[in-house]
């Protein structure tokens, strides 16, 4: 089968990998329909985080081709959403809501295990990992939104949940990438009254507003903090989802969070939490990689009934042959998020 192969910094190309086969009775083989590039893939692409040579990609939806003998929750022909981590949903960590730490789990596209950016994927622990999508004849717009549940929308939701967004809150979302935009949508779902989006890009501001942002702040750093403090009467935000991971983004999130609030952190950290500042203002933080498998069912229902349309984050589309373009477009900020159309229903 053909798949994206990570070969090194700024070197991704389509190549051949072995056709996946059932290896364990808990496996399923999924034919990928839509995949995409994650912001975390860009860290690898830019050489800022290590990644083994080989398979890559962890966000995909597809159709089940074959199941192992112990898989009973999905069957051949099912359209499924794959969370970016596979998990058993029964170990102590899964039972406590941290599927990312599943004792039997693992990452798709880690160099050896099949990645989402390929024609076919062997999914371990398929029965507890894959979420079947009810119904048939879904529109392309619905499919694009379903794809976001694999990671980006689940991660934005995790930022809002980790930041303890409550009904009536004033929320400041740090980051206007696809995750930050998703966090705006998630904050609106959770009932935020006012959502201040920090964004300097007109195209992203449009989506931010579509997703529920009530205010846009175009400044960065100290100027952004000053603007938010002025808008909130000097108090700060009730919640501050941090969706970038750089030191500056973290500093901004902790500065705009009001005393006693929580920063929800989902940006892969490439800097340090300002501990002393957080301590003296009683600001906490929670977050990390999202337990997407746990969030998918409730978000899936809202995608299918049209309540949310997170697929709007995809503003660039290509195919597997042009996977390098999908990365370059995001790297060069020509795209918010790149969709890779691999198969059809
Ligand atoms: Zn587990």
């Amino acid at each position: 089968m053909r798949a994206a192969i990570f070969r090194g910094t700024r070197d991704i190309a389509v190549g051949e990998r072995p056709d996946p086969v059932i290896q364990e009775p808990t496996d399923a083989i999924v034919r990928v329909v839509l995949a995409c590039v994650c912001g975390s893939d860009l860290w690898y692409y830019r050489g800022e985080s290590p990644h083994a040579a080989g398979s890559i990609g962890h966000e995909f939806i597809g159709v089940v081709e074959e199941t192992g003998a112990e898989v009973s929750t999905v069957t051949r022909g099912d359209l499924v959403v794959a969370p970016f981590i596979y998990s058993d949903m029964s170990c102590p960590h899964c039972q406590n809501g941290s599927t990312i730490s599943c004792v039997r789990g693992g990452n798709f596209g880690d160099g050896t295990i099949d990645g989402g950016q390929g024609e076919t994927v062997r999914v371990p622990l398929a029965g507890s990992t894959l979420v079947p999508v009810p119904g048939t004849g879904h529109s392309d717009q619905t499919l694009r939104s379903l794809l976001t549940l694999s990671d980006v929308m689940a991660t934005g939701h995790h930022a809002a949940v980790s930041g303890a967004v409550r009904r009536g809150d004033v929320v400041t979302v740090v980051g206007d990438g696809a995750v930050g935009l998703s966090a705006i949508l998630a904050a609106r779902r959770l009932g935020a009254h006012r959502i201040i989006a920090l964004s300097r890009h007109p195209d992203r501001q449009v989506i931010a507003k579509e997703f529920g942002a009530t205010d846009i702040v175009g400044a960065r750093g100290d100027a952004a903090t000053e603007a938010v403090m002025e808008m909130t009467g000097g108090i700060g935000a009730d919640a501050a989802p941090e969706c970038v991971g750089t030191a500056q983004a973290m500093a901004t999130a902790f500065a705009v969070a009001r005393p006693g609030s929580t920063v929800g952190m989902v940006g892969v950290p490439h800097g340090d939490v300002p501990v002393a500042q957080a301590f003296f203002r009683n600001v906490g933080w929670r977050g990390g990689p999202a337990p997407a498998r746990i969030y998918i069912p409730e978000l899936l229902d809202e995608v299918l009934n049209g309540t949310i349309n997170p697929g709007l984050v995809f503003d660039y589309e290509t195919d597997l042959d042009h996977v390098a373009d999908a990365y370059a477009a995001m790297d060069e900020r020509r795209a918010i998020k790149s969709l890779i159309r691999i198969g059809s229903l």
Side-chain angles (χ1 to χ4, degrees):
M1 65 138 173
R2 297 160 70 253
I5 308 290
F6 178 83
R7 300 190 295 203
T9 302
R10 296 182 192 281
D11 187 2
I12 288 184
V14 66
E16 284 290 328
R17 280 181 51 85
D19 285 333
V21 294
I22 300 284
Q23 295 177 15
E24 303 286 339
T26 48
D27 288 349
I29 305 299
V30 172
R31 180 174 59 78
V32 177
V33 173
L34 297 179
C36 52
V37 178
C38 183
S40 64
D41 291 333
L42 280 191
W43 291 110
Y44 311 134
Y45 181 78
R46 293 170 176 158
E48 290 164 346
S49 294
H51 192 285
S55 64
I56 189 164
H58 54 259
E59 299 172 62
F60 63 101
I61 63 171
V63 176
V64 176
E65 292 257 282
E66 189 182 354
T67 54
E70 292 177 21
V71 177
S72 60
T73 56
V74 296
T75 188
R76 180 180 168 83
D78 281 352
L79 172 64
V80 290
V81 178
F84 64 92
I85 294 283
Y86 56 88
S87 58
D88 62 9
M89 300 306 281
S90 58
C91 78
H93 296 316
C94 286
Q95 289 286 301
N96 284 309
S98 190
T99 55
I100 190 82
S101 306
C102 177
V103 299
R104 295 171 65 207
N107 303 277
F108 293 107
D110 64 353
T112 53
I113 294 169
D114 298 319
Q117 296 161 7
E119 290 178 328
T120 320
V121 176
R122 179 180 75 88
V123 178
L125 305 173
S128 50
T129 297
L130 297 172
V131 182
V133 179
T136 56
H138 300 298
S139 69
D140 195 58
Q141 180 181 314
T142 298
L143 295 178
R144 295 162 84 96
S145 285
L146 291 171
L147 174 62
T148 69
L149 306 187
S150 191
D151 183 348
V152 60
M153 181 61 206
T155 296
H157 181 63
H158 192 50
V161 169
S162 297
V165 173
R166 294 183 187 87
R167 189 157 297 281
D169 273 359
V170 175
V171 177
T172 298
V173 176
V174 179
D176 66 352
V179 173
L181 294 170
S182 300
I184 291 168
L185 182 56
R188 189 186 71 183
R189 277 188 75 247
L190 294 172
H193 167 68
R194 187 178 188 190
I195 302 173
I196 302 167
L198 306 190
S199 174
R200 297 194 303 172
H201 304 92
D203 53 335
R204 299 172 188 222
Q205 292 171 2
V206 170
I207 300 174
K209 286 178 180 166
E210 173 78 21
F211 280 178
T214 54
D215 302 85
I216 304 284
V217 169
R220 294 181 81 164
D222 291 345
T225 301
E226 282 170 28
V228 172
M229 295 310 281
E230 193 176 319
M231 294 164 82
T232 57
I235 299 300
D238 297 308
E242 193 287 293
C243 307
V244 183
T246 61
Q248 184 188 59
M250 282 192 248
T252 300
F254 279 86
V256 300
R258 67 161 166 74
S261 69
T262 306
V263 173
M265 296 200 1
V266 297
V268 178
H270 286 72
D272 293 321
V273 168
V275 175
Q277 181 192 26
F279 176 87
F280 285 108
R281 298 176 67 243
N282 276 286
V283 171
W285 74 272
R286 280 184 65 83
R293 176 62 184 81
I294 292 173
Y295 295 147
I296 288 172
E298 66 176 296
L299 298 172
L300 179 73
D301 287 346
E302 293 191 14
V303 166
L304 293 180
N305 69 25
T307 305
I308 58 172
N309 187 16
L312 289 175
V313 296
F314 295 113
D315 61 343
Y316 187 88
E317 179 180 330
T318 187
D319 57 19
L320 191 54
D321 284 328
H322 299 89
V323 65
D325 294 339
Y327 279 78
M330 285 173 65
D331 178 51
E332 295 161 14
R333 298 190 189 280
R334 288 184 280 117
I336 300 172
K337 192 167 177 76
S338 299
L339 180 138
I340 307 168
R341 194 172 293 276
I342 296 181
S344 53
L345 283 181

